C-alpha cells in the first residue's frame, strides 16, 4: 500500500491554522536531544512482521512478554540535538535523502481549561507527527512553521512525541527535485508546546495604512494605522484591547461573527527605517490574557521606477543569502547565526538582504529588523515546477500563506517573492499569476516580485519580456554576464526593460576560491571574480530604473551540484565571503560601489 494511502487518515496538515508571534507566547520548549532511527526502507511503517495492532514506529512499542518481537527501540537509539539538520549531525547522513524518525519524551501537567498546540518552526520536507501514539497531523514543506492542537492527546506525567521526517525530493514538490542548495533534512527549527486559552488570538496584523500621508514631500506626524485580529474561533462580540504605550494608544476592538476585528486609527509613530529601526511595544489583550510584540511602522511603495520607503526614494544595497551557518555548520536557525551573517552584510554596506530561496527562520527576520536591514522574503517556487499539478499549486500557496502569516508584522520585510528563475510558459504564467493575486489577498501593504529570466540577448541587447510584469510591483531578474556568459560582453550590453516599474537585479556574480590568486581571465581566481564584479557594476550603472541589487551571494554555500574537486567540493563558490568568513577581492569592489550609492 502506498505510504500516502496508509497515512491518508491523518488530520489535514492544515488542521490548526498557524499561530502568529509564537516567540512571545507561553511556550515550553522541546528543543534538546531527541532519539532518532534512520529508516531507509520505511520499516517504521511497512513492518509487516509485527502483528497488525503493533505496527508503526509511532507506537514506540516495547516488548510486554519475553516472546514479544519488537525490532526497534527509540530509547536505545542515538540522539541528536534538535533543532538541527541530520546531514551535519551524523556523518552517515551527510548525503542522506529519506526518512528519519525522531522521539522525544517530556513530562506534562494537565492544565484545566487550557489548550496546547504543538508548534514546529520547520521540518524538511514531508512530516508526520504523533503524540502518545495518536495522530497529531501531517505537513508538507521544508521552510514554514506548522502547529497542531494536541490537547486531547496529552496526559499527566510522561508524554511521547514521535515525528517522521522524509526529505526525499519529487518533481511535483515545492521546490522540485532539482535545486542549487543542500537538501538539509530533519527538524531544522524549534519545537514548542504553546499554552493557550480556549479562545485565543490566533493571529493579527498592525500596519501603517497606505498611502503615507505627506506634506511638502515629508511624512506628516499623524498617520493612519490599521489593526486586525483573528481569534481562534468564529465568536462575535469578543473584545480585544490594543495598547501601544509609547504612542499613548489604547483601543478596543470587537469581533464579528467570524471572530475577526479590524480598527483604523491615527497615531504619530516614528517611522521605522534602516537608519532608525524604531520598534514599539504592542500589547493585545483578551479576557485578561496579554500577547506582546515589537512592531515598527513604515510605508513601502513604488512610484514609476522608484521604490519609496517612507515616501523617499531608496536604493536597495543588497546581497543574497542562503540560510546556512558558516564553517560548514549546516542550517542556520538562531539569532546568533543570523547576527553573524547579517553583520557580514552590514560590513558590505547593505541595507537590504534577499533571503533566498525559501522563508528563513523567524529569528533571522527579527534580527534583521533590529539591525535595520530590509528583507526580500521568498517561497521556493524554483526552476522547473510542476505548473499543471493542482497539489503543487496548493503546496506553493500554503507556503506563501504561512510565510506571510508568520512575518506580516515585520516592518523590514518589503518584498514577497513568489518565484525564482522559472522558464516561460502559459502554464507557468497561470500558476504564478494566481499566486501573485493570492499574495495580495494576504497582504496588500508590501511589494510583490519574483526573480525573472532575461530572454536571450542578441547583438548585446538583453530584453526583459516576461508576461509576469503585470503581476509584480518590482521587475527583478538574475543575470550572469561574466560567469555563464563572456565577461568581455559586459561593457557592450544594453538592457531593454519596457515596464514603468522599479528594477532590482536579484542575482549576478561568479565563483572564486578564496586565496586562489592569478590572472583575471583565469576561472576560479579571486581576480576573475573581482573583474567580473567590476564589469557588472559598470554595466548596472547603465540600467535605467535600477533601484537595487542583491548579488549572488554573501558566502560560499553547500550544493550537491558543485562537484569540481579541489575548487568546489560540493560548495557553490560565488560567495563574496568564503564559508569561513574570509573576504574575497570582489567584496571590496562591491563595498566601494555601495559607498557611492
Ligand atoms: C541561479 C539560482 C541560484 C544558483 C545560481 C548559481 O540564478 O537562482 O540558486 O545558486 O544561479 O548558478 O550559482
Amino acid at each position: 500500500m502506498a505510504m500516502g494511502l496508509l497515512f491518508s487518515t491523518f488530520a489535514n496538515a492544515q488542521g490548526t491554522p498557524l499561530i502568529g508571534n509564537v516567540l512571545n507566547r507561553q511556550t515550553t520548549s522541546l528543543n534538546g536531544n531527541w532519539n532518532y532511527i534512520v529508516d531507509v526502507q520505511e520499516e517504521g511503517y511497512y513492518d509487516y512482521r509485527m502483528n497488525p495492532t503493533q505496527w508503526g514506529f509511532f507506537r514506540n512499542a516495547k516488548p510486554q512478554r519475553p516472546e514479544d518481537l519488537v525490532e526497534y527501540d527509540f530509547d536505545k537509539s542515538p540522539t541528536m540535538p534538535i533543532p538541527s539538520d541530520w546531514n551535519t549531525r551524523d556523518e552517515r547522513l551527510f548525503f542522506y535523502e529519506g526518512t528519519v524518525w525522531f522521539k522525544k519524551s517530556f513530562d506534562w501537567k494537565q492544565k484545566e481549561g487550557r489548550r496546547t498546540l504543538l508548534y514546529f518552526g520547520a521540518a524538511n520536507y514531508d512530516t508526520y507527527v504523533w503524540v502518545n501514539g495518536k495522530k497529531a497531523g501531517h505537513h508538507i514543506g521544508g521552510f514554514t512553521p506548522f502547529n497542531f492542537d494536541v490537547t486531547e492527546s496529552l496526559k499527566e506525567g510522561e508524554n511521547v512525541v514521535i515525528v517522521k521526517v522524509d526529505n526525499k525530493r519529487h518533481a511535483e514538490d515545492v521546490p522540485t527535485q532539482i535545486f542549487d542548495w543542500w537538501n538539509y533534512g530533519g527538524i531544522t527549527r524549534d519545537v514548542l508546546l504553546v499554552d493557550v486559552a480556549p479562545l485565543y488570538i490566533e493571529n493579527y496584523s498592525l500596519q501603517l495604512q497606505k498611502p503615507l500621508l505627506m506634506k511638502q514631500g515629508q511624512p506628516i506626524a499623524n498617520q493612519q494605522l490599521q489593526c486586525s485580529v483573528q481569534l481562534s474561533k468564529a465568536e462575535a462580540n469578543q473584545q480585544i484591547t490594543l495598547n501601544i504605550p509609547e504612542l499613548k494608544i489604547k483601543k478596543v476592538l470587537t469581533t464579528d461573527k467570524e471572530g475577526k476585528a479590524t480598527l483604523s486609527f491615527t497615531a504619530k509613530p516614528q517611522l521605522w527605517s534602516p537608519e532608525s529601526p524604531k520598534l514599539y511595544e504592542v500589547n493585545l489583550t483578551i479576557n485578561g490574557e496579554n500577547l506582546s510584540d515589537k512592531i515598527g511602522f513604515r510605508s513601502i511603495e513604488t512610484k514609476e521606477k522608484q521604490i519609496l520607503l517612507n515616501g523617499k526614494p531608496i536604493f536597495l544595497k543588497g546581497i543574497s543569502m542562503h540560510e546556512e551557518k558558516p564553517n560548514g555548520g549546516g542550517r542556520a536557525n538562531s539569532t546568533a547565526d543570523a547576527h553573524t551573517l547579517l553583520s557580514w552584510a552590514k560590513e558590505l554596506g547593505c541595507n537590504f538582504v534577499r533571503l533566498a530561496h525559501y522563508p528563513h527562520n523567524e529569528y533571522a527576520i527579527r534580527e534583521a529588523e533590529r539591525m535595520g536591514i530590509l528583507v526580500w522574503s521568498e517561497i521556493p517556487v524554483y526552476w522547473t515546477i510542476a505548473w499543471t499539478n493542482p497539489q503543487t499549486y496548493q503546496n506553493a500557496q500554503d507556503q506563501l500563506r504561512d510565510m506571510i502569516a508568520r512575518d506580516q508584522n515585520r516592518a523590514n520585510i518589503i518584498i514577497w517573492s513568489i518565484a525564482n528563475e522559472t522558464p516561460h510558459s502559459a502554464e507557468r504564467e497561470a500558476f504564478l499569476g494566481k499566486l501573485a493575486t493570492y499574495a495580495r489577498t494576504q497582504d496588500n501593504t508590501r511589494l510583490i516580485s519574483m526573480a525573472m529570466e532575461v530572454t536571450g540577448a542578441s547583438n548585446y541587447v538583453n530584453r526583459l519580456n516576461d508576461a509576469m510584469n503585470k503581476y509584480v510591483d518590482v521587475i527583478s531578474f538574475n543575470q550572469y554576464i561574466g560567469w555563464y556568459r563572456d565577461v568581455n560582453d559586459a561593457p557592450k550590453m544594453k538592457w531593454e526593460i519596457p515596464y514603468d516599474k522599479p528594477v532590482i537585479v536579484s542575482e549576478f556574480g561568479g565563483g572564486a576560491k578564496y586565496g586562489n590568486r592569478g590572472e583575471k581571465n583565469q576561472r576560479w581566481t579571486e581576480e576573475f571574480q573581482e573583474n567580473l564584479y567590476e564589469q557588472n557594476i559598470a554595466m548596472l550603472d547603465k540600467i535605467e530604473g535600477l533601484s537595487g541589487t542583491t548579488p549572488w551571494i554573501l558566502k560560499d554555500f553547500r550544493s550537491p551540484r558543485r562537484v569540481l574537486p579541489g575548487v568546489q567540493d560540493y560548495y557553490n563558490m560565488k560567495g563574496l565571503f568564503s564559508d569561513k568568513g574570509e573576504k574575497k577581492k570582489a567584496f571590496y569592489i562591491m563595498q566601494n560601489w555601495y559607498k557611492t550609492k
Side-chain angles (χ1 to χ4, degrees):
M1 282 174 116
M3 172 73 75
L5 188 63
L6 289 167
F7 278 27
S8 60
T9 55
F10 253 81
N12 168 323
Q14 314 308 337
T16 311
L18 188 65
I19 190 167
N21 187 14
V22 75
L23 300 180
N24 287 297
R25 301 252 187 186
Q26 297 172 50
T27 60
T28 304
S29 172
L30 294 184
N31 292 351
N33 282 335
W34 288 48
N35 298 92
Y36 68 96
I37 297 173
V38 181
D39 186 6
V40 182
Q41 293 190 8
E42 303 294 353
E43 179 78 5
Y45 203 85
Y46 285 105
D47 187 353
Y48 54 86
R49 288 187 295 278
M50 293 174 67
N51 68 48
T53 59
Q54 285 306 309
W55 51 250
F57 287 1
F58 63 91
R59 292 183 182 284
N60 189 33
K62 304 285 182 192
Q64 302 306 309
R65 302 167 304 164
E67 63 273 30
D68 280 352
L69 171 61
V70 177
E71 289 190 86
Y72 69 95
D73 185 332
F74 277 108
D75 299 326
K76 295 198 176 91
S77 301
T79 61
M80 78 167 69
I82 296 301
S84 67
D85 57 271
W86 63 57
N87 315 72
T88 58
R89 295 293 169 173
D90 180 336
E91 60 186 10
R92 302 170 302 166
L93 304 179
F94 184 65
F95 286 98
Y96 180 65
E97 295 186 313
T99 283
V100 176
W101 292 79
F102 295 89
K103 178 246 173 187
K104 180 75 176 176
S105 294
F106 58 96
D107 283 332
W108 189 246
K109 286 195 106 24
Q110 287 297 26
K111 304 184 176 186
E112 196 47 43
R114 304 290 292 178
R115 310 286 314 164
T116 302
L117 306 185
L118 178 56
Y119 173 95
F120 292 79
N124 186 41
Y125 174 82
D126 188 343
T127 306
Y128 287 87
V129 181
W130 295 263
V131 171
N132 298 325
K134 297 188 191 81
K135 306 163 204 163
H138 173 217
H139 182 264
I140 288 179
F143 303 98
T144 43
F146 52 98
N147 45 237
F148 307 117
D149 188 324
V150 294
T151 310
E152 268 74 39
S153 302
L154 291 171
K155 60 186 172 55
E156 192 75 14
E158 188 187 27
N159 292 261
V160 174
V161 60
I162 302 253
V163 180
K164 176 189 187 295
V165 184
D166 178 358
N167 76 331
K168 284 196 291 295
R169 293 163 291 112
H170 310 93
E172 66 278 6
D173 287 349
V174 178
T176 72
Q177 80 280 29
I178 298 178
F179 46 83
D180 193 20
W181 66 83
W182 206 260
N183 184 24
Y184 291 114
I187 305 174
T188 48
R189 295 181 191 162
D190 290 343
V191 184
L192 304 170
L193 288 162
V194 192
D195 172 54
V196 291
L199 179 68
Y200 58 91
I201 293 171
E202 179 180 284
N203 208 348
Y204 56 92
S205 77
L206 176 58
Q207 296 273 306
L208 200 72
Q209 281 300 290
K210 284 183 169 179
L212 185 71
L213 304 177
M214 310 273 285
K215 195 170 178 182
Q216 281 135 16
Q218 295 298 328
I220 62 173
N222 259 325
Q223 293 293 334
Q224 276 289 99
L225 273 58
Q226 185 176 68
C227 181
S228 76
V229 179
Q230 176 63 58
L231 296 184
S232 55
K233 287 179 189 166
E235 290 199 10
N237 301 318
Q238 295 294 322
Q239 297 210 319
I240 301 122
T241 307
L242 165 69
N243 202 337
I244 315 173
E246 203 179 331
L247 293 178
K248 297 184 178 38
I249 291 289
K250 188 158 188 165
K251 303 286 182 186
V252 176
L253 291 84
T254 305
T255 57
D256 61 18
K257 60 184 185 342
E258 270 87 44
K260 180 167 184 178
T262 300
L263 184 71
S264 291
F265 55 93
T266 55
K268 297 182 179 180
Q270 177 192 330
L271 299 180
W272 185 98
S273 70
E275 299 72 31
S276 167
K278 172 72 179 170
L279 298 176
Y280 286 91
E281 184 191 330
V282 173
N283 294 295
L284 286 164
T285 311
I286 179 170
N287 300 333
E289 195 149 334
N290 182 57
L291 175 59
S292 67
D293 202 348
K294 291 201 182 322
I295 293 181
F297 301 103
R298 57 96 190 96
S299 96
I300 189 75
E301 298 162 287
T302 61
K303 185 164 174 274
E304 290 140 14
K305 291 182 181 295
Q306 292 184 318
I307 293 176
L308 306 179
L309 178 71
N310 298 330
K312 294 193 183 61
I314 184 170
F315 187 86
L316 298 174
K317 301 180 282 189
I319 187 76
S320 292
M321 295 171 58
H322 265 297
E323 186 185 54
E324 185 182 81
K325 298 177 199 263
N327 302 309
R331 271 276 166 257
N333 53 27
S334 68
T335 299
D337 294 338
H339 189 78
T340 300
L341 297 169
L342 293 167
S343 299
W344 294 358
K346 277 265 188 186
E347 214 181 326
L348 181 61
C350 295
N351 61 6
F352 179 56
V353 289
R354 175 181 179 216
L355 300 185
H357 283 291
Y358 38 75
H360 290 209
N361 66 85
E362 185 171 359
Y363 297 110
I365 307 288
R366 286 183 181 263
E367 183 63 8
E369 189 178 44
R370 284 190 291 266
M371 293 173 71
I373 297 177
L374 295 156
V375 163
W376 157 311
S377 192
E378 181 164 299
I379 53 170
V381 175
Y382 182 97
W383 290 355
T384 53
I385 291 282
W387 304 115
T388 57
N389 181 320
Q391 283 74 33
T392 305
Y393 177 79
Q394 190 60 52
N395 181 352
Q397 183 176 287
D398 289 348
Q399 293 190 42
L400 179 61
R401 175 199 63 203
D402 294 342
M403 171 173 74
I404 294 173
R406 189 193 74 183
D407 294 337
Q408 60 191 350
N409 294 314
R410 304 281 71 80
N412 60 327
I413 295 184
I414 53 170
I415 292 174
W416 300 122
S417 167
I418 58 171
N420 177 71
E421 284 193 1
T422 50
H424 298 271
S425 76
E427 295 79 8
R428 168 255 200 189
E429 187 194 329
F431 186 107
L432 294 181
K434 192 175 169 190
L435 212 47
T437 306
Y438 174 80
R440 295 189 196 281
T441 67
Q442 303 301 296
D443 175 9
N444 65 359
T445 70
R446 289 178 175 83
L447 307 178
I448 303 294
S449 190
M450 58 181 272
M452 298 170 178
E453 298 240 304
V454 178
T455 40
S458 53
N459 55 38
Y460 304 115
V461 174
N462 295 281
R463 188 166 301 104
L464 216 65
N465 177 16
D466 193 320
M468 284 303 296
N469 74 83
K470 54 185 176 293
Y471 290 100
V472 299
D473 300 300
V474 177
I475 302 292
S476 304
F477 59 88
N478 303 343
Q479 61 82 17
Y480 277 92
I481 288 158
W483 187 254
Y484 297 117
R485 290 165 62 185
D486 185 344
V487 68
N488 299 311
D489 291 348
K492 303 169 208 154
M493 286 294 173
K494 291 179 186 56
W495 292 86
E496 285 182 6
I497 304 167
Y499 313 118
D500 192 23
K501 294 182 175 177
V503 173
I504 290 179
V505 175
S506 39
E507 285 182 34
F508 74 88
K513 183 172 172 64
Y514 175 75
N516 183 18
R517 314 304 290 266
E519 295 307 312
K520 67 182 181 179
N521 68 340
Q522 177 62 52
R523 193 71 76 158
W524 303 110
T525 62
E526 288 194 44
E527 285 73 16
F528 185 97
Q529 186 189 42
E530 179 187 41
N531 176 51
L532 181 150
Y533 268 78
E534 281 167 343
Q535 297 304 324
N536 268 271
I537 282 169
M539 180 184 68
L540 294 180
D541 271 331
K542 291 187 282 184
I543 296 181
E544 194 205 347
L546 184 70
S547 294
T549 183
T550 48
W552 193 260
I553 188 168
L554 180 71
K555 79 165 189 72
D556 298 340
F557 61 96
R558 281 206 179 94
S559 168
R561 303 169 65 80
R562 310 295 176 173
V563 296
L564 181 60
V567 176
Q568 295 175 315
D569 297 320
Y570 295 111
Y571 270 85
N572 181 315
M573 303 297 276
K574 296 189 181 71
L576 290 177
F577 287 82
S578 72
D579 188 44
K580 290 182 172 51
E582 302 144 336
K583 299 181 188 73
K584 301 173 191 176
K585 292 179 79 173
F587 168 91
Y588 300 97
I589 303 297
M590 202 66 213
Q591 186 186 49
N592 289 336
W593 188 58
Y594 276 164
K595 281 177 186 157
T596 69
K597 287 295 174 188

